[in-house]
Each structure stands twice: as C-alpha cells, then as structure tokens.
Amino acid sequence: MGVTKNFFIALSKNQPLNSAAKKWGLKLGAGKVVAGTDIASMMQSVKELNANGISATIDSLGEFVHTKEEATKAKEAIIKTLESIQIYGVNAHMSVKLTQIGLDVDFDFCLKNIQEILAEASRYDIFINLDMEDYDHLQQTLDILEALRAEYENVGTVIQAYLYRSEKDLETLKDVRLRLVKGAYKESSEVSFQEKHEVDENYLKLIKIHLQSPGFTSIATHDHHIIEKVKAFVKEENIPLNRFEFQMLYGFRSEMQKDLAKEGYAFTTYVPFGQDWYAYYMRRLAERPQNINLMLRSMISK
C-alpha cells in the first residue's frame, strides 16, 4: 500500500505528464472524479448536486505555477468562476490553493492575489476556503489566513489530522470555519503520525474539539465509521445541525452523499474542474489506491 501511494504521489509531481494530460482530456477514469474541463460542464454537475440538497465547494484546478504570469492567469480563472457562481445562481463556494496563485513565486504577490479574490467573493457573499497543501506550505498558509481575517470574514482553511501540530493550530483557529481532513500528502515521522489508527484517533479528537468551538466545522471524510461516530457525538452533545456539515469528494460514495443530505445533515461536495486535472487525480489514486480500478476499467473500455 505504501509503495503504491508513493508511486502515485510521485506521478502527481511530474510536470511533463501534467502537460500531456491537458491534451488527453478527462481520460484514465478522471472523468468520474473531475466535473469537466470548463465552467459550463462543471456548473451542470453543481446543479445536479443542488437538486439533491447538496452544496458544492468548487476547485478551479491548477498546478506547477512558477511565474507571476501563470499565477495571475489562475487568479483570473478563479474570479471568473466566482462570477459564474453568481450568474448560475448555484449553492456553492470556492476552495483555493495558494501555490496556484503564486505562493511559491512571492509571498506578498500571492497575498495580493488572494486579497483580490476575497474582495470579489465578498461582493457576492461567497465563502473562500484556503486549501491546505503539504507541510512546507502550512505556516505560510496560516500567515496569509491571519492577514486576510484582519479584513475579511468569508475565509477559512483546512486542518490535517495526521500532523502533530494540528491540535494547537485548532486552538488558535477556534473561531474560524475549518475543513477537517485526515491528510493526503506524504509527510515524515518528524511532523506527522504514520499509522492509520493514530490518524483516525486524532481526526475524531479534532472533530469533537472544533464542534464545541465557535467556528463552523466541515467534516471531510469518506470513512463511514468516523461519520457514524460524529452523528452519535452531535446527538449526545446536542450540537445543532447548522453548526457543521459533512463533505466528500465529487465522484466518491455518491449515494452516501445523497443519503446524508436526506437525513437532514448539511452536505457539501468538493467539485474540481479544469484542464489541470492530472495531479489532482494522481493524488486521489495515492490516497485511495482501490480507485485504480476506475482507471483500469476506463482503459479497458476504450
């Protein structure tokens, strides 16, 4: 399992393959987990989710940004997507990766870009979630979040349960809307738990802490064992259903997503779209190697 995960993580970082994938279109099973390569096709998917009582957090995919020109282009695509949320009238917000808008190019330049995005999102009353990336970008992401929150309220981020420091970060961010995840990157034992049971235990612990904090909690997991424990906990503690939501990725456990929404739980689906789908898809295969079956079935059916 570890070898397979490392293999797909390595593939996700391969820029030549990412460039080639833009020419392939949504192949190798990616069309099942990426909601199209353009806004129109993505919005159709969001409308279908909304019809089932499910909200969306939209990710305009983009990787391997090394210049200000590339980052500016990505920022403009995000702002165009924000405008489209307003035009289409869908129930959705956006998730943004800071590396996509220049974090690896220049910190202040990236901060200016995300400030522009937040200003546009505020016009439409749309929430922006700063996606958390690997450990090397964690503190910079939190620093940018702090700067943004001095001016904007419609912004939050992600806490990853496999990191040792996450409980302390949670305390600092107790008033913030947070998405809580187990974590999908490969990190060293110096900064992260390595065993699944340790990650699971810490994840449930963090969920319970934030559910009892002022900030809204997005519980992003496909783990039905965790979901059942959360349901029992909120019932025991009389936590209102409008204080949290469940989240899952587009294309995964779709029937469970609908069932949770029917049960009355707030539910949001993470909806990625765009031509830069390759790295995102490789990380999903690394995270859940059983999804390799999606790719194999797609290749066989061609």
Side-chain angles (χ1 to χ4, degrees):
M1 184 72 75
V3 174
T4 303
K5 179 173 183 177
N6 292 342
F7 174 71
F8 282 103
I9 287 290
L11 286 180
S12 75
K13 298 177 180 179
N14 189 302
Q15 189 165 355
L17 285 177
N18 181 71
S19 299
K22 292 180 182 180
K23 302 174 184 177
W24 300 340
L26 290 175
K27 296 182 179 178
L28 306 180
K32 298 180 184 296
V33 299
V34 176
T37 57
D38 56 36
I39 286 177
S41 56
M42 176 271 292
M43 281 295 175
Q44 182 57 42
S45 298
V46 172
K47 285 183 177 181
E48 291 171 6
L49 290 168
N50 287 177
N52 285 292
I54 297 172
S55 181
T57 180
I58 300 168
D59 180 3
S60 176
L61 294 170
E63 308 267 350
F64 307 107
V65 173
H66 303 296
T67 68
K68 288 187 175 181
E69 291 75 18
E70 291 170 333
T72 298
K73 184 177 179 181
K75 176 196 69 179
E76 292 169 350
I78 291 166
I79 289 175
K80 184 177 181 182
T81 306
L82 285 170
E83 294 169 348
S84 298
I85 291 173
Q86 178 73 7
I87 292 168
Y88 281 80
V90 293
N91 180 3
H93 66 270
M94 286 202 71
S95 292
V96 176
K97 283 183 173 59
L98 292 178
T99 56
Q100 186 182 2
I101 55 171
L103 185 57
D104 287 337
V105 178
D106 180 81
F107 182 92
D108 291 335
F109 170 73
C110 176
L111 178 58
K112 181 175 180 294
N113 281 339
I114 191 63
Q115 286 171 330
E116 287 184 38
I117 290 169
L118 260 294
E120 189 72 14
S122 295
R123 287 181 55 204
Y124 305 129
D125 193 27
I126 296 174
F127 176 74
I128 297 293
N129 194 86
L130 305 182
D131 273 354
M132 192 59 72
E133 302 179 66
D134 60 15
Y135 188 80
D136 290 342
H137 294 97
L138 188 154
Q139 190 57 53
Q140 288 179 304
T141 301
L142 295 182
D143 291 344
I144 286 180
L145 175 66
E146 183 179 6
L148 293 172
R149 281 180 51 78
E151 187 175 359
Y152 300 100
E153 294 183 356
N154 60 321
V155 62
T157 192
V158 179
I159 293 294
Q160 301 171 109
Y162 65 174
L163 297 178
Y164 301 141
R165 62 173 283 177
S166 290
E167 186 173 351
K168 288 185 178 179
D169 288 334
L170 208 61
E171 175 62 26
T172 305
L173 301 171
K174 61 185 178 183
D175 297 326
V176 181
R177 176 174 176 171
L178 297 175
R179 177 193 299 150
L180 304 183
V181 303
K182 292 186 183 182
Y185 293 87
K186 177 69 175 176
E187 303 291 358
S188 76
S189 59
E190 294 181 0
V191 299
S192 70
F193 297 106
Q194 300 295 302
E195 300 298 326
K196 181 182 183 301
H197 72 91
E198 294 177 313
V199 177
D200 287 355
E201 288 173 8
N202 198 47
Y203 185 45
L204 194 57
K205 179 181 181 182
L206 298 182
I207 290 170
K208 291 178 178 180
I209 290 172
H210 203 60
L211 280 171
Q212 297 177 97
S213 300
F216 187 84
T217 307
S218 296
I219 302 157
T221 182
H222 303 108
D223 187 335
H224 58 277
H225 298 295
I226 295 286
I227 290 170
E228 289 305 314
K229 289 177 181 178
V230 170
K231 289 161 107 177
F233 179 77
V234 297
K235 186 175 181 180
E236 291 168 6
E237 299 296 324
N238 294 314
I239 295 171
L241 295 184
N242 64 359
R243 298 289 304 120
F244 71 97
E245 68 180 5
F246 290 110
Q247 288 192 9
M248 290 185 190
L249 300 172
Y250 178 80
F252 294 89
R253 311 204 78 163
S254 299
E255 289 307 311
M256 182 183 287
Q257 295 190 25
K258 294 175 185 176
D259 289 343
L260 286 166
K262 287 177 183 176
E263 289 174 32
Y265 295 101
F267 200 96
T268 293
T269 299
Y270 189 97
V271 179
F273 83 101
Q275 293 186 340
D276 277 324
W277 56 268
Y278 167 80
Y280 171 85
Y281 184 45
M282 289 300 109
R283 284 196 298 273
R284 297 293 74 78
L285 292 177
E287 191 175 35
R288 294 171 59 84
Q290 59 266 45
N291 293 323
I292 295 169
N293 290 332
L294 285 175
M295 181 175 71
L296 293 177
R297 285 198 299 267
S298 178
M299 293 172 68
I300 291 170
S301 65
K302 297 301 179 185

